Amino acid sequence: MDTECNYTHELIAHLLTAEDSGRMEHILRSLLTPSELSEISKRLQIFKLLEQGMPQRQIAEKLGVGIATVTRGSRALKGD
């Protein structure tokens, strides 16, 4: 197992220590910059809106992200 994979497993284990949403928010805010947290939150919204069938261009406009970001999210959902 490579080092990056170990780090990912450690991150997941750390996140799983959160007992409630308040603790999870604290963990995320301590690990991520405000910009990183915002980007991750937007990516989740991209997934949700794609699953609801919203067109990619509309998602990009709604969230203020580039169409390439939405397309990348679409590919990730499809498993490409």
Side-chain angles (χ1 to χ4, degrees):
M1 189 177 294
D2 67 357
T3 303
E4 185 174 333
C5 189
N6 285 336
Y7 292 154
T8 301
H9 287 286
E10 285 184 40
L11 172 61
I12 292 167
H14 185 67
L15 293 174
L16 288 173
T17 66
E19 295 140 6
D20 56 44
S21 62
R23 179 71 181 139
M24 178 61 76
E25 182 176 354
H26 175 76
I27 290 171
L28 290 173
R29 289 189 185 280
S30 68
L31 289 172
L32 304 170
T33 66
S35 177
E36 290 167 334
L37 186 56
S38 175
E39 288 303 311
I40 289 172
S41 299
K42 283 183 182 181
R43 287 184 187 194
L44 177 59
Q45 292 307 307
I46 289 168
F47 284 174
K48 289 175 70 174
L49 294 171
L50 286 167
E51 288 173 340
Q52 293 172 9
M54 184 179 284
Q56 290 187 23
R57 291 202 184 281
Q58 190 176 350
I59 294 170
E61 290 173 13
K62 178 180 176 88
L63 298 177
V65 299
I67 189 70
T69 302
V70 179
T71 300
R72 188 169 40 253
S74 177
R75 286 190 194 128
L77 280 177
K78 292 177 184 174
D80 294 346

